[in-house]
Each structure stands twice: as structure tokens, then as C-alpha cells.
Amino acid sequence: MERIRIDYNKCTGCRRCEIACSLSHVLDTINPRKARIRVMKEGDQFFPVIAGPFTDAACNSKGILVLGGMVYDQCALCRASCPTKPTIFREPDTDIPLKCDFCMLLDQPGPSCVKWCTFGALTLVEE
Amino acid sequence: MNGWTGKVLRVNLTEGSVAIQDLDLETVSLVMGGRGLGVKILCDEIDPKANALEAHNKLIFATGPLTGTGAIASALCSVTTKSPLTGGIACASVLGNFGAELKFSGFDAIIIEGKSKFPVYLSIMDDKVRLLPALHLWGRTTTYTEKLIKAEMGDLWKAREMCIVSIGPAGEKIANIASLVHEDFMAFGGSGLGAVMGTKNLKAVAVRGTKGVKVAHGNRFLLNTSHLLKRIEKDPLISEKVRNLGTTFLVETLHQMGFLPSKNFQAAVFNGIKNVDSQALARSILCGHRSCLACPMACLKTTETKKPPFDGKGTGLDYNTIAMLGPNLGIDHLLAIAKAYYLCVQLGIDPISVGAAIATATELYEKGILSELDAGQSFRFGKSENLIPLINLIGEGNGFGCILGTGAFRIAKDYEHMESFMGAKGRELPPYDPRGIQGMGLHFATSNSGAYHLDGFTVIDEVLGIHGEPHPLETEGKAWKVKLFQDLTAVLNAMGICPLSLMCIWIDDMVTMVNDVLETHYEVDDILKIGERIWNLERLFNIKAGFTGADDTLSERLLSEPIPDGPAKGSILHLDKLLPEYYRLRGWNEQGIPTEEKLKDLGL
């Protein structure tokens, strides 16, 4: 099965994948908020995250912190379009959850984000 | 509307009011957008003679039609205003993600006018535009300001998507050389703009948006850009040099050619070059690469220094910073240079200007004109321990830092030794020796925003030799080349593309991209004409502000003294030969004023 492999160390945060994704799903509009891949920044490192389904198992690593009577969840950069992240991987107009559908860049095979990633952070691998 | 959102935000800080206007499509067809739009609005709305640091001055953030569309290096948001440094027009480029985010929030441009009574910051969250109090941000460093504003957002995920442009303490203290900072790196060419924002009591502009930008031919645009990307990937200059080292490889390239200024342009040979060149950088402190939105070049380098007292981390250490804070001050200590750069970013000071200001002060001190009593300390070329305390002083606005903060031109003027100032129209010269690179020399002399390299970066042709063998010392055809680069850069800025992209794309690529997005039928000549129109508009603004053809010159030393040593020893700038030809090509009269017929031809 083909999968998208992410090499965080090669990502420079140009967000070209977000643009390619949004453009190949809505052909006349560029809107990274509608993209099924998002580049997150933590410190000086960029993390491309591809939208996936929300499962309980994904939340296993989540920790709860109570500071001064307030409850904080340490929800990190996961790929789920879940209710905790109200703005990530959700269509901004309709609030419908988004998920990577392994789109094609026009007639060329392969997901468009991989095609437009010039730094080799996203590659297609056979597993 | 293709490429545009069609709305312009007008913020009046005096009244605290916000108004939304329609984008003037007629203006856009004339000047494209971005820098062109900014200049047009300034020409129409402000008196060019007024003081730049008064409420009357306006600050215009303007995106171009390609900003945020994913076209090559389409991240640029122009910031146009009347500069306190030159008294003429100034146009900086905020890169990163700000311009695109502004587009996504539904606005093409922000016009900021008036002056707030107390510190505020502008928050644009889609249609919700607010002026919020910023007393708690006043005096904070730029990184901390961004963090605090993001914390106020409440929602962690929304805060992640926010883009913020802010000024540091130097801008608040109205230092002439203060600049704008976005996402931990400087705006290109922002010297002086921080002071304008500071006088308006505007600490920051924060944007987040969820709307999109329309593209006319999505299919064609995707395909054409894919082809272009493949071509850029194969380009050895981009894949081997720029992606790995950013622009810092220019340190050794220019030093080998003898065009790297040392000790305030008093020498061209620098003995410690091995300690500050790109190899040293790659060996010791380079730790990552970073791009602005949709940029295939990744010229921003993340560096980390671990050794106290120089420990720190930052993004965007480039050739200009290393050369101005290093060899131009005689300093060969890379860690000190890096630390000084991090401080500049935190305090919001333009590193080119600060390098020039300290170099001028040092020269004055070494010649015995500036006394230790005045300066409160001693200066020496090559003394790296001075650098960091001096930059801190400028940020605090204390003691001699207050004088340094006014810029090299005013220091030289105060001490009545203009020969120690290197620059044009009051703005400091970036580290490209104009006596060697003839085209750069002519550009510095004629540039509308003073000596600012990226407005006509002929180094791409004259040193890197992208279009054939480079001939920096020859004057043949240079006037034409400078005009071409100036017009091209003007229109690139107007489209919303970073001028450094000229290293990998050329006019025909620009025409394809803009036609795909806007559904227009521009030809190469139309694009160049738009660039020329913007250049002439800026020129007219400057003439009204009191500049004449006599200001198209450089500092005394650069015109009279040849390069003293090194491979380019003895070469001088042939400005007397280049300038008349340049005026003729531009269609200006001998005094450098655009003729009636030229203006009619351009439709001005």
C-alpha cells in the first residue's frame, strides 16, 4: 500500500503542501484552512500533519494537567479532526471534518502535496 | 474576484475607528498592487513635505494579487510609508506568512493613519477588526510580544494560525533605524518603518483569516507551477548554495572578488574572513532551514549559538547582517555577530543600519573626532565585546545609544564629518561595494528609497552571473540593466513576490503566473511598464518631498577614493558616465526629473 512518508527534518515550513491540497480539492480557491494537511510549528521545527480519522486510541498519549484549578489537556500535534481542535482539519464554512483522500494532482498520479513538496519532506513510499 | 479579496481596511488611530473600503480596481490595473498600491495611496493622500514622524504620515500594508496563492515565493506584503531616515518614500517587505494571512482574512491592504493617544495593537480576525490596548506589550521584545498576543487569543489552535508584525523597544523609542519583525525575523528593508509605527503608538498588527483567494485557472496554475518547481530543483545555485547556506555564501564570493567592504569601506581585504564565511557558519552554528510561504529557496537559516555570553537562537542570519556587523566593523567573531543579530530582532533594529551606524561612530572615534567623553566608551574596529552592549543601548534609547539610533547619516552630520557616512539619500549602504559592482553603484545612487539593495539587486547578474558571464567592473550596458532590475523588482513587489526569487525565475515566468491567477493577458512589456510606472510614481513623490537630481549620488569616499586593496584594487565608480545614460533610458531630463511625455506615456 502506498503511504505518505513525512521527514520532519527536511520540512522548511513553506506550506506549499497546504496550498496544493486546498487547490486540488477546490479548484478555483486557495485556502490553507481547507487543506487536509497542515504544517505546525513548534519551536524552530515544522511538523507537517496529515488529517486522519479520530479514534480513541490516538488520544492515549494525552495528559491532563491541573494548574490553579483549571484543567488543561496536553493535546499535541495529532492528526485527528476531533472536537478538541475546533479549527484544525475542519472546513471553516461548514464545520465538516476533513480527511486526507490521497488526491491526484490533475491527471498525474500521487497526492498533490507530495508533488509540490520541493524539499523532500513528503515522499510516497510503498509499504 | 481573482487574486484579490476586493476589500481595503482603513484604520484611523486618532479616532480609534475602522472602515472597510472597496479596492480601487482602476488603480490596481495601473500599478498592480502591493508596493504600487502603497505608493499610489501615499501620493494621493499625504503631503510629501510633511514630517515622517508626525500623525499625518500613513503606513500602508499592501499585498499583491499573487500573495498567498502559492506562486513561487509569493509571500510578500509591502509596507510603504514616508521614511524618517531619507525623507523620501520607503518600502519594506514583510515576508513569512503575514501577507497571505492578511489576504485570507479578507483584506488586500491596511491603511493606517493618525496617531493613537496610548499604545494599541490592531487585531484582525476575519471580519472582526479591533484596536486593542497594548500597554502590557509596551517595552517588550518582539518574540515576547508575539507570544503575549497569541496568549490573549484564548484558543490554542487559533493562536497557532495567527501572524503578527510588531515593533520592538527601539521602535517605541522612535529610533530612526528601527524596523519591523515578523515570526522572529526582520522585514527586508524595514529601516525606519519601526519608528513610524512607534510614533503612531501602534505596537503590532495581528491577523488570522479563514477565507480563501480565488484563482482564475486553477488547473493551469497547478501544472505551470509544478513545471517551474521541477526546473528550480535542478538549478545548482538554488539546490547547492541557497538551500544549504542562504545568502551567506556571498561572504566568500564577494570577498574573493574584492567587493566586501571592511572597516566602514576603508578596506576590501579582511584577514579574518575564514572565521565568518559560510563554511564557518555551516560548521559551527547552522542548525536548520526555513522558508517563507510557498518559497522553494529556503534562504532563511536557523542558527543556534551555545557558548555564553553569546548563547541564543534565531532565524534569518544572512549575508547583509554578517557583512555589516562583521567585516564592516572589523569583527571576525561569528558567535558575537549571531548574538548581535538575535538582539537586533528582539529589539526591532535593522541590522544593516546598526552596522553602518556603529562603523561611522568607530571611524569618527579612531580619527579623534568623537571623544570618549561624548560616547561614554571607546570604539575600535575589530572589538567584538562592544557590539552587544551598544545594540542594547540603542534598544534602551540610553546614552550614546540614543545618538546611534538616529542612524549613520545623522551621526556624521552632527559631528560635521560627512565623509564618514557611507550611503545615499541618508540611508546606509548595504555591504556591496559600489566602486566594484558598477550596476549596484548606479542603483544605490538612483534608488528611490535610498541605498537599499533589494530594489534593484543586479548582484544576481553582475556577481552570480545567472544570465551569462558576470562583468561587475564594466560600465557597458549597466544603465540598461539597472533600469531593468529596478522595474522588475518594483513589479515583483507589486505582485507580492520576494525580489530574491529573481535568482530562480525570470520575467516570462512572472507573466505566466500572473495571467493564470488574474485571467489577464499581460505580455512581458506590459509587466515592465507597470514596474516603470511604479518607479516613476516613487520618483515623483521624492521630487515633491524635495529631492533633486543632485541627490542621485553617493558618499564622497565612494566617488573619489578607489578601492584601496584586494583583487579589485584601484577600481572606481563611473557614476558620471552611467548617470546621464540612465536618465536618458528612463526618459528623464538632465536634472533627473521625468519629462511630460514620459509621464503621459505611462499614464500618470
Side-chain angles (χ1 to χ4, degrees):
Chain A
M1 202 175 97
E2 280 185 324
R3 296 168 78 89
I4 298 170
R5 191 187 135 143
I6 302 172
D7 187 345
Y8 299 121
N9 289 325
K10 287 186 178 159
C11 182
T12 63
C14 74
R15 296 169 71 201
R16 196 171 267 289
C17 46
E18 292 183 10
I19 292 166
C21 183
S22 80
L23 195 55
S24 55
H25 284 93
V26 194
L27 250 187
D28 66 340
T29 312
I30 289 157
N31 185 353
R33 303 285 178 266
K34 292 187 179 176
R36 287 135 169 92
I37 180 168
R38 297 291 290 275
V39 181
M40 315 269 180
K41 186 170 176 257
E42 262 317 313
D44 284 315
Q45 183 86 48
F46 292 97
F47 297 96
V49 181
I50 297 171
F54 166 57
T55 57
D56 286 340
C59 285
N60 276 348
S61 58
K62 199 162 103 178
I64 304 284
L65 262 179
V66 182
L67 290 176
M70 302 278 275
V71 182
Y72 299 86
D73 56 10
Q74 277 187 311
C75 183
L77 305 173
C78 88
R79 56 193 300 238
S81 48
C82 78
T84 331
K85 296 183 291 190
T87 60
I88 309 276
F89 301 139
R90 267 169 194 273
E91 171 86 29
D93 307 330
T94 57
D95 218 27
I96 295 171
L98 299 168
K99 194 163 99 60
C100 173
D101 55 1
F102 241 68
C103 63
M104 300 205 325
L105 180 58
L106 304 178
D107 49 345
Q108 302 169 7
S112 48
C113 54
V114 176
K115 288 267 177 273
W116 263 29
C117 181
T118 53
F119 294 98
L122 303 175
T123 42
L124 209 58
V125 289
E126 190 74 36
E127 256 179 29
Chain B
M1 210 181 308
N2 294 322
W4 294 109
T5 63
K7 292 272 179 279
V8 174
L9 186 66
R10 191 179 280 273
V11 180
N12 191 322
L13 293 171
T14 314
E15 294 165 10
S17 64
V18 167
I20 296 172
Q21 302 176 329
D22 285 334
L23 181 72
D24 184 2
L25 291 176
E26 206 173 311
T27 310
V28 165
S29 68
L30 271 178
V31 294
M32 191 69 89
R35 173 169 159 193
L37 192 63
V39 176
K40 187 79 177 56
I41 294 171
L42 270 193
C43 285
D44 292 349
E45 296 187 5
I46 80 163
D47 172 21
K49 282 205 165 58
N51 187 344
L53 295 176
E54 271 171 19
H56 178 71
N57 196 4
K58 293 186 183 182
L59 194 67
I60 296 147
F61 291 76
T63 61
L66 294 187
T67 308
T69 58
I72 305 297
S74 56
L76 190 137
C77 173
S78 299
V79 191
T80 323
T81 188
K82 183 181 155 98
S83 165
L85 210 56
T86 65
I89 201 125
C91 181
S93 319
V94 175
L95 289 141
N97 298 307
F98 182 81
E101 203 61 41
L102 182 59
K103 268 273 191 63
F104 298 147
S105 72
F107 298 106
D108 294 317
I110 317 172
I111 306 168
I112 295 168
E113 49 193 34
K115 176 182 177 172
S116 171
K117 283 192 197 73
F118 53 89
V120 288
Y121 80 91
L122 178 65
S123 157
I124 305 170
M125 303 294 135
D126 277 328
D127 299 328
K128 203 169 153 196
V129 183
R130 290 173 302 174
L131 280 168
L132 298 171
L135 254 175
H136 61 301
L137 306 173
W138 213 244
R140 306 279 187 204
T141 62
T142 52
T143 307
Y144 200 50
T145 302
E146 289 197 13
K147 274 190 186 150
L148 281 174
I149 292 178
K150 283 184 179 181
E152 269 172 52
M153 184 76 212
D155 186 320
L156 176 85
W157 299 98
K158 281 183 188 164
R160 263 180 201 287
E161 298 166 348
M162 268 168 104
C163 288
I164 299 160
V165 171
S166 60
I167 54 169
E172 295 163 14
K173 302 265 162 38
I174 330 275
N176 274 342
I177 58 174
S179 181
L180 312 177
V181 179
H182 164 54
E183 285 182 356
D184 301 346
F185 66 93
M186 310 299 301
F188 288 1
S191 194
L193 273 76
V196 176
M197 222 161 130
T199 49
K200 295 191 176 306
N201 272 333
L202 181 66
K203 175 73 180 173
V205 181
V207 196
R208 179 183 172 268
T210 56
K211 295 171 197 159
V213 184
K214 275 215 170 346
V215 175
H217 302 289
N219 279 346
R220 220 163 69 194
F221 180 68
L222 268 171
L223 273 183
N224 284 337
T225 314
S226 301
H227 292 317
L228 208 52
L229 281 173
K230 283 207 183 87
R231 201 190 76 204
I232 293 167
E233 256 175 84
K234 287 191 196 108
D235 189 339
L237 177 76
I238 302 298
S239 61
E240 284 164 25
K241 291 203 162 158
V242 180
R243 279 191 182 181
N244 291 330
L245 302 164
T247 53
T248 56
F249 70 90
L250 281 170
V251 174
E252 57 263 27
T253 311
L254 285 173
H255 186 257
Q256 268 162 24
M257 295 171 101
F259 305 148
L260 180 81
S262 175
K263 299 185 182 166
N264 204 20
F265 289 78
Q266 294 182 90
V269 174
F270 182 60
N271 290 331
I273 196 78
K274 281 271 171 283
N275 300 331
V276 293
D277 67 2
S278 63
Q279 297 309 318
L281 180 98
R283 255 197 327 268
S284 56
I285 56 173
L286 184 68
C287 67
H289 314 285
R290 189 164 144 190
S291 309
C292 302
L293 185 93
C295 177
M297 294 182 289
C299 79
L300 295 168
K301 298 297 148 207
T302 305
T303 50
E304 186 173 15
T305 46
K306 293 201 175 98
K307 212 160 121 196
F310 303 119
D311 53 330
K313 202 167 186 185
T315 303
L317 188 66
D318 61 353
Y319 165 71
N320 300 311
T321 310
I322 294 183
M324 286 313 278
L325 297 177
N328 200 39
L329 296 175
I331 292 171
D332 64 349
H333 195 323
L334 192 59
L335 298 184
I337 298 168
K339 179 72 184 176
Y341 172 72
Y342 306 151
L343 262 180
C344 284
V345 172
Q346 293 307 323
L347 301 172
I349 310 170
D350 190 76
I352 298 179
S353 297
V354 83
I358 298 176
T360 300
T362 313
E363 190 184 328
L364 289 174
Y365 184 88
E366 288 203 340
K367 289 192 172 148
I369 298 149
L370 176 70
S371 68
E372 195 161 340
L373 200 67
D374 276 2
Q377 67 182 102
S378 66
F379 287 86
R380 278 275 175 274
F381 280 120
K383 213 170 149 193
S384 61
E385 32 317 357
N386 258 353
L387 197 54
I388 287 154
L390 274 175
I391 292 174
N392 270 326
L393 269 186
I394 300 175
E396 289 159 12
N398 274 345
F400 195 63
C402 203
I403 295 170
L404 282 176
T406 58
F409 179 72
R410 286 186 178 71
I411 300 172
K413 211 173 166 187
D414 281 354
Y415 287 92
E416 291 169 359
H417 279 271
M418 285 312 291
E419 78 281 356
S420 62
F421 162 70
M422 298 296 128
K425 299 191 178 77
R427 184 159 176 171
E428 304 83 355
L429 207 66
Y432 305 88
D433 202 319
R435 295 166 290 185
I437 317 171
Q438 300 287 326
M440 250 4 233
L442 177 63
H443 165 67
F444 285 144
T446 54
S447 173
N448 292 321
S449 47
Y452 173 48
H453 58 297
L454 278 184
D455 276 356
F457 200 45
T458 56
V459 167
I460 288 169
D461 242 31
E462 291 183 283
V463 174
L464 302 176
I466 284 177
H467 308 103
E469 200 64 17
H471 297 290
L473 292 170
E474 273 176 26
T475 52
E476 193 82 16
K478 283 295 164 65
W480 175 80
K481 194 163 275 178
V482 169
K483 176 179 179 289
L484 175 71
F485 267 83
Q486 288 176 339
D487 292 350
L488 255 182
T489 317
V491 74
L492 267 181
N493 281 346
M495 284 178 185
I497 297 180
C498 170
L500 276 175
S501 68
L502 283 177
M503 286 198 277
C504 59
I505 61 168
W506 200 239
I507 318 171
D508 36 351
D509 306 320
M510 291 156 53
V511 175
T512 320
M513 288 193 292
V514 81
N515 283 343
D516 285 351
V517 171
L518 286 183
E519 208 175 9
T520 44
H521 301 282
Y522 285 125
E523 304 271 334
V524 171
D525 290 344
D526 303 330
I527 291 289
L528 285 176
K529 196 157 190 180
I530 292 175
E532 195 172 2
R533 195 174 289 138
I534 298 171
W535 196 265
N536 277 280
L537 257 179
E538 292 182 338
R539 181 86 182 176
L540 288 177
F541 182 91
N542 276 0
I543 289 170
K544 280 182 208 150
F547 283 103
T548 59
D551 294 301
D552 287 338
T553 182
L554 293 173
S555 307
E556 186 66 30
R557 175 175 302 154
L558 304 168
L559 294 176
S560 57
E561 295 172 24
I563 296 184
D565 49 11
K569 186 177 174 182
S571 56
I572 53 161
L573 174 62
H574 302 282
L575 197 59
D576 47 340
K577 210 160 124 193
L578 288 163
L579 204 55
E581 196 191 342
Y582 174 84
Y583 282 170
R584 192 177 52 76
L585 283 169
R586 278 245 173 253
W588 297 348
N589 67 13
E590 280 115 53
Q591 280 79 45
I593 292 163
T595 54
E596 283 288 321
E597 49 206 285
K598 187 76 210 172
L599 293 180
K600 208 174 265 170
D601 178 43
L602 292 170
L604 295 173

